[in-house]
Amino acid sequence: MSIAAGTASGFFGWRVVWAAFVVAIFGWGVGFYGPSVFLQILHKDRNWPVSLISAAITCHFLLSAGIVANLPTLHRRFGLVSVTRAGGVAAGVGVFAWALATEPWQLYSAALLSGAGWALTSGAAINAMVAPWFNHRRPAALSIAFNGASVGGVLFAPLWTLLIAWIGFAGAAAAIGSIMAIALWWLAGAYFSASPASLGQMPDGSIELAVEVAPKPAARLATPLPAGFAMWLDRRFATLSISFALGLFAQIGLVAFLFLLLAPALGETGAGAAVSLATAFAILGRTLFGILLPAEADRRVVAALNFTIQIAGTTALLVAGDTSVLLLLLGCVLFGLGMGNLVSLPPLIAQSEFARSDVGRIVALITATNQAVFAFAPFVLGALSDATGWTRAPIAAVALVQIAAVVVVLAGR
């Protein structure tokens, strides 16, 4: 193929972006939003304690964190195609194992498989698919690809409930898991085996656009961070990492319990639709953020505002109880508006505050820290729910954690 000067029709990178978009739909629809539906179904059908099931969800995310930390090594050793295919198969088999589990040990075994599938198809994997093809246009390309995550929530939250009601949990898991494994197997071979060099193309489609944008003066003049534990002694790094670890702990925890909390007032079908509503507004929030964010804005203040919008949504969910449908829907809308930005804001803050040479390792360490912390959210909030006997205790805890995130992120200014 010849170099096509950045056109979407000739530049293969945009096809890779849309393939990654589809991977994100399945990855989040099964590995991220699926467990919140599984929690409700298994609690009702097996009569297992919420804490037992939520601990399995924690295992799912915790194992994923360990694999994500080693994902670049896996890609180098086995290739992007093989690793992505393995992720689709692991996720498909894992979700079917969740549906077949009749003993707790089987549930935890299933979580190991599904967690591996989630790790190989989640954020770090999407970035690995898209990044080689873009320099200048990478923010736009990643935004498109990551919107697949929100679309996955919109589609899969109600799809899971409808299929489970129609053909049962095992039938729904077999159908969705099989489609995911087959789709990712084909997509990986068709779109992820090539590189710009192998097709005679340049990143972004042309030499001019492939040149990286110069860093901002503040980032260019920033003092480089030391390696190892000493990084945590830097106030900017510590507050950035801790604040978003808290924010994602709250977000993952609430998403894991959202279906269970909405079902008494909205029914299972309505709860699935409400979760879809939240993820639809995540797309809107991410889009508005990309359009309205001024280039010189204080991105920590923007992050605090994003957390505050989510706090308003969490408060609405708390006040709504099991009766006010309007407040429950309002809570989903406000909480959803900030969901997508929790992934995109840390790299943008790092880009504006740290030396260019440090940004890569800072983002990697923040991502690993976040995932290790939020992995415990379902277990902690499940144990809190069982210990207090108050089904809305997790929502109150989430609101407090979000408030702490606001304080910490602003402390680093």
Side-chain angles (χ1 to χ4, degrees):
M1 293 178 65
S2 60
I3 296 175
T7 63
S9 59
F11 178 50
F12 194 75
W14 290 113
R15 302 178 193 178
V16 174
V17 167
W18 287 109
F21 174 89
V22 176
V23 172
I25 291 176
F26 281 104
W28 267 263
V30 173
F32 185 80
Y33 292 100
S36 68
V37 178
F38 307 161
L39 177 64
Q40 162 71 6
I41 297 300
L42 291 172
H43 177 59
K44 183 182 71 173
D45 291 351
R46 308 288 197 274
N47 200 29
W48 286 339
V50 169
S51 57
L52 184 148
I53 307 167
S54 58
I57 298 175
T58 287
C59 288
H60 165 91
F61 285 120
L62 192 59
L63 174 73
S64 176
I67 296 175
V68 165
N70 295 284
L71 192 58
T73 302
L74 293 175
H75 284 153
R76 284 194 301 270
R77 182 170 181 180
F78 300 105
L80 182 59
V81 173
S82 296
V83 172
T84 303
R85 285 174 167 174
V89 172
V93 174
V95 73
F96 187 54
W98 275 79
L100 295 182
T102 56
E103 298 291 339
W105 71 266
Q106 296 171 343
L107 184 65
Y108 286 85
S109 299
L112 298 180
L113 275 172
S114 62
W118 163 241
L120 302 180
T121 58
S122 60
I126 300 301
N127 182 71
M129 297 167 191
V130 174
W133 293 90
F134 296 91
N135 286 329
H136 179 73
R137 288 174 170 168
R138 189 180 300 178
L142 285 175
S143 178
I144 292 171
F146 276 121
N147 268 337
S150 298
V151 172
V154 172
L155 294 177
F156 275 83
L159 179 62
W160 276 115
T161 55
L162 290 173
L163 283 179
I164 290 171
W166 180 34
I167 56 178
F169 191 9
I176 291 177
S178 298
I179 293 172
M180 177 177 182
I182 294 170
L184 266 60
W185 191 280
W186 177 76
L187 283 170
Y191 295 101
F192 304 148
S193 60
S195 66
S198 70
L199 298 183
Q201 297 188 339
M202 295 292 296
D204 295 299
S206 70
I207 295 175
E208 292 80 8
L209 290 176
V211 177
E212 289 191 57
V213 179
K216 293 182 179 180
R220 208 166 45 233
L221 299 176
T223 303
L225 284 181
F229 180 78
M231 292 177 67
W232 291 95
L233 300 179
D234 184 277
R235 178 173 56 90
R236 298 165 302 157
F237 173 78
T239 54
L240 177 59
S241 183
I242 293 170
S243 62
F244 280 90
L246 290 171
L248 283 165
F249 178 95
Q251 181 161 295
I252 300 304
L254 186 55
V255 167
F257 280 84
L258 193 56
F259 189 90
L260 181 67
L261 296 168
L262 294 171
L266 304 179
E268 292 183 356
T269 301
V275 173
S276 291
L277 179 69
T279 52
F281 272 85
I283 299 174
L284 177 62
R286 186 186 289 113
T287 303
L288 290 176
F289 174 81
I291 294 173
L292 301 178
L293 179 68
E296 300 303 321
D298 186 330
R299 293 172 181 181
R300 286 184 182 261
V301 173
V302 174
L305 177 61
N306 193 76
F307 285 133
T308 302
I309 293 172
Q310 289 196 303
I311 291 168
T314 305
T315 303
L317 292 172
L318 181 63
V319 173
D322 293 332
T323 57
S324 177
V325 173
L326 181 60
L327 278 178
L328 289 173
L329 295 178
L330 177 63
C332 289
V333 167
L334 293 174
F335 178 74
L337 278 171
M339 286 174 64
N341 294 329
L342 288 195
V343 177
S344 58
L345 272 168
L348 292 175
I349 295 174
Q351 182 184 33
S352 66
E353 294 186 358
F354 297 95
R356 183 186 209 170
S357 59
D358 285 334
V359 172
R361 66 188 177 106
I362 287 170
V363 172
L365 185 54
I366 288 174
T367 301
T369 302
N370 289 349
Q371 195 146 333
V373 170
F374 76 59
F376 289 95
F379 171 71
V380 171
L381 297 181
L384 178 64
S385 177
D386 284 349
T388 61
W390 183 32
T391 59
R392 311 202 90 69
I395 307 180
V398 162
L400 293 175
V401 172
Q402 289 170 328
I403 292 171
V406 172
V407 174
V408 174
V409 76
L410 292 178
R413 293 181 68 205

